[in-house]
Amino acid sequence: MSETSKTQQNVSLLGLVALTVTTVIGAGVFNLPRDLAGLAAPGPSLTALVIASIAFAVFVYCLKYLQDHYPHLDAGIFSFPEQGFGKFIGFLSCTGYWLSIVVGNVSLGVLSVSSLGYFIPMFRGGNNIASLILLSIILWFFYYICTTGAKQASLVNTVIWIAKMMPILVFVVALIFAFKVDVFNSGLWENVFVADGMESSISGQISSAMAKTIWVYVGIEGALIYSARAKTKSDASRAIVISYIVIAVTYLLLTFLTFGALSQAQVAGMEVPALGGILEAVVGKWGAVLMNFGIALSAAGCWFGCCLFAGEILDVAAKHEIVPRFFGEENSVGQPVKSLLVSTIIQQAFFITIIINESIYNVMALFASSTMLVPYFTVSLTMVKESLRIDKGFKINALLGCVSTIAMGYLMYSTGWDYIIITALLFAPCILMYYFARKENKKEFLTRSEKLIAIAIVLLALISLFLIINGTIDLSTM
C-alpha cells in the first residue's frame, strides 16, 4: 500500500463512533415509542428496552474482549468466528452480514427519498420514476465519496451524524420541559389495548415489546468493520463502547420522555414518523417539519454508512482468502473499488426492480432480514470458545459469552422457523463463491466438519424451496 493510501486509513475515534451511531440509529428510532406503545404500557415497554440494552451490552463486551485479545484481526464480525471455528464459518458470517447490509440499504434508500415526499409530493412512496432518478443520483454519489478515501468518507459521515442528531436533541430538550409525572404514572403498567387482544399481564407485555426492542441495536459492531482503517486498533475497541453508551442513552431518553408527555393511546396513534407527531403535539407544526427532515437525513446517513461497510467487509474477506481476490482490489487511496462497485450495482438493480415489480425486492428483503443474525450468533459462540482457552477455564468471560449466545439465539428464534430455514436459500448458492476463492488461493475447500455444515445448508435450502412450492411457507404473508 502506498504512502498516500496509508494516510487514508487514519479514521479517528470520533469518526468510528459517528460511523457506528449513524448506522444503528437509523430511521427506526423515529418510530420506536409508537411501536412499543402499540404493544405494551409504558412500564413494560421501558423494561423490555432495558433488557434489550443489557443483552447488547453483554454482546458489546464480547466484541471488545475479542478485539482486545485479537487486535490483528480486522472486520471482527466475521474474522472472530473464523478464528474460533475456521474459514468456512468465517465465510458464512461474512456472507450473512454482507447480504443483510446490501439488501437493507435498498429499503434505507427508499425511506430516505420517500421521506422527502413530506416536502416534495413527487417523491411520496419512493417507488416512482422521480424517486428512482433521485435514488440513483444519491447512490452513485455515495459510491464516489466512498472511493475517495476512508478519511474523507468518515468526515462526511461525521457531518451527517451531527446533523441527524440535532432534531433528536431538540426533541429531548422539548420533552424534558413537557414531561409530567402524573402522565407517566397514569396507566404505567396497564395496557390500554387489552380489549383489542393485546397482552394484559406485565410479563406478556414485556415479551411482546421485546420483539421490537431486541432489533434496535443491530449494527453496533460498526467500528469493528472499519478497524483496519482506524488510527489505532485500540480506537476500534473504545469506539464500540462509546457508541453503545450514546445509542442506549438516546433510546432510553426518547422512550421515557415520550411516555411522560403523552399517553400510551396517543403515542400508539401517531402517524409515521411518530417522533414528528409527538413533537408537534408538544411544540406545534414546526416539530413535525423538523422530524420529517430528520428521518430523511437519518435514513440517508445510515445508508451511506452501510455502503462503506458493504465494500469494506468484502475487501477484508478477500485478504482472508474466503472470497475471490477480485473483491480485494483497491485504488490508489486504498479503497476497495471493486467490492464497492459490485455492492452499488446490486443496489441499483434492486431500485429498478422496485419500480418494475416491487414483490421481487420484497422477497429478497425477506430472505436477507435474518442473515445478520448469523454473525451475531457465531461471534457469541466464539467468545465462549476463546475465553475458555484464554482464561484457562469457565470464568466470568465464558459466562458472558453464554449469555450473549442465548440472547442472539433468542433473537434468531423470535424471527420464526420459516425465516431461519429460508436464509439457507441465500447461503447455499454463495458457497460457490467460497469454492472459487479457495481454489484460486490453492487452499483446501472444506474440512470434514465443514462439509457436514455445507450439506446441512444445501438440504435446508432444498427443504425450504419445497415448502415454498407446496404452499406450506407463503412468502406473501410473511
Side-chain angles (χ1 to χ4, degrees):
M1 190 178 290
S2 67
E3 288 301 314
T4 303
S5 175
K6 287 179 181 178
T7 63
Q8 298 299 329
Q9 312 311 306
N10 297 327
V11 179
S12 67
L13 175 62
L14 177 62
L16 292 171
V17 171
L19 194 57
T20 305
V21 175
T22 298
T23 51
V24 176
I25 301 181
V29 68
F30 290 84
N31 293 312
L32 179 60
R34 173 182 177 271
D35 292 341
L36 292 175
L39 296 169
S45 293
L46 286 165
T47 303
L49 187 56
V50 169
I51 293 172
S53 300
I54 293 172
F56 269 89
V58 175
F59 181 62
V60 166
Y61 177 80
C62 293
L63 291 172
K64 185 180 185 303
Y65 177 90
L66 292 170
Q67 179 66 34
D68 289 343
H69 284 85
Y70 299 105
H72 61 288
L73 295 179
D74 296 316
I77 200 68
F78 82 83
S79 60
F80 295 155
E82 179 187 318
Q83 169 71 28
F85 300 100
K87 292 286 184 180
F88 187 58
I89 297 299
F91 167 76
L92 293 176
S93 300
C94 172
T95 304
Y97 192 83
W98 179 79
L99 285 170
S100 186
I101 283 180
V102 171
V103 179
N105 274 0
V106 179
S107 45
L108 285 169
V110 171
L111 180 59
S112 64
V113 170
S114 63
S115 298
L116 295 176
Y118 183 86
F119 308 100
I120 308 172
M122 73 169 68
F123 296 127
R124 283 178 183 165
N127 58 351
N128 51 43
I129 297 299
S131 299
L132 174 62
I133 293 171
L134 182 57
L135 281 166
S136 301
I137 292 171
I138 295 173
L139 174 65
W140 289 100
F141 175 69
F142 282 173
Y143 168 75
Y144 169 74
I145 294 296
C146 289
T147 60
T148 59
K151 196 171 183 179
Q152 284 85 343
S154 175
L155 178 61
V156 171
N157 187 77
T158 302
V159 172
I160 294 174
W161 170 53
I162 293 171
K164 72 182 277 186
M165 291 302 287
M166 292 306 295
I168 294 176
L169 182 61
V170 171
F171 181 92
V172 169
V173 172
L175 263 72
I176 286 175
F177 288 102
F179 189 90
K180 296 181 178 64
V181 176
D182 57 331
V183 173
F184 181 76
N185 288 332
S186 178
L188 183 59
W189 301 99
E190 298 172 2
N191 194 343
V192 299
F193 297 113
V194 171
D196 297 326
M198 294 299 171
E199 294 285 349
S200 59
S201 68
I202 292 175
S203 60
Q205 291 182 69
I206 292 173
S207 179
S208 296
M210 281 293 294
K212 293 290 184 183
T213 60
I214 201 72
W215 292 95
V216 297
Y217 287 99
V218 170
I220 195 66
E221 71 292 328
L224 287 187
I225 305 301
Y226 237 53
S227 61
R229 302 175 190 276
K231 281 186 177 180
T232 65
K233 296 293 184 181
S234 61
D235 278 352
S237 182
R238 291 163 59 201
I240 303 170
V241 177
I242 295 171
S243 299
Y244 169 79
I245 293 171
V246 171
I247 294 162
V249 169
T250 300
Y251 286 150
L252 290 167
L253 268 178
L254 289 178
T255 307
F256 173 72
L257 292 174
T258 293
F259 286 124
L262 300 171
S263 68
Q264 179 192 353
Q266 287 175 309
V267 176
M270 290 293 171
E271 294 183 358
V272 176
L275 292 195
I278 294 166
L279 190 58
E280 182 177 5
V282 173
V283 302
K285 183 67 175 178
W286 67 265
V289 173
L290 179 66
M291 283 301 158
N292 274 278
F293 170 76
I295 195 171
L297 190 61
S298 187
C302 188
W303 179 17
F304 177 69
C306 287
C307 284
L308 288 169
F309 291 162
E312 184 68 13
I313 195 164
L314 289 182
D315 181 35
V316 178
K319 293 178 175 64
H320 284 238
E321 300 177 341
I322 59 175
V323 300
R325 295 172 189 163
F326 168 85
F327 293 106
E329 293 182 21
E330 300 177 347
N331 61 12
S332 59
V333 292
Q335 288 300 89
V337 286
K338 295 295 177 63
S339 57
L340 283 169
L341 181 61
V342 169
S343 300
T344 302
I345 290 173
I346 292 173
Q347 290 176 65
Q348 180 69 75
F350 275 128
F351 285 142
I352 294 172
T353 62
I354 287 176
I355 304 301
I356 299 173
N357 186 349
E358 191 170 355
S359 62
I360 297 174
Y361 168 71
N362 289 339
V363 171
M364 283 299 297
L366 177 68
F367 285 5
S369 62
S370 299
T371 61
M372 177 71 82
L373 305 179
V374 172
Y376 282 26
F377 187 71
T378 56
V379 164
S380 300
L381 283 176
T382 302
M383 175 67 177
V384 177
K385 182 175 184 292
E386 294 303 302
S387 62
L388 285 172
R389 184 183 61 81
I390 294 169
D391 298 340
K392 296 180 173 57
F394 191 90
K395 299 179 181 178
I396 184 64
N397 292 315
L399 176 62
L400 290 174
C402 289
V403 171
S404 183
T405 301
I406 293 170
M408 297 309 145
Y410 169 78
L411 189 55
M412 295 179 73
Y413 167 78
S414 68
T415 63
W417 67 270
D418 42 1
Y419 281 84
I420 294 173
I421 67 170
I422 277 177
T423 58
L425 281 174
L426 287 179
F427 283 110
C430 288
I431 294 175
L432 286 173
M433 184 166 68
Y434 180 72
Y435 168 76
F436 289 122
R438 304 303 286 168
K439 183 178 180 181
E440 72 176 359
N441 287 290
K442 297 181 173 57
K443 297 294 174 64
E444 182 183 17
F445 174 39
L446 295 169
T447 64
R448 182 176 298 178
S449 59
E450 289 173 345
K451 287 176 183 176
L452 294 175
I453 296 172
I455 291 170
I457 291 171
V458 173
L459 287 175
L460 280 175
L462 293 173
I463 291 170
S464 60
L465 192 60
F466 173 75
L467 293 175
I468 291 170
I469 292 172
N470 73 10
T472 302
I473 295 178
D474 186 356
L475 298 178
S476 63
T477 61
M478 292 179 68

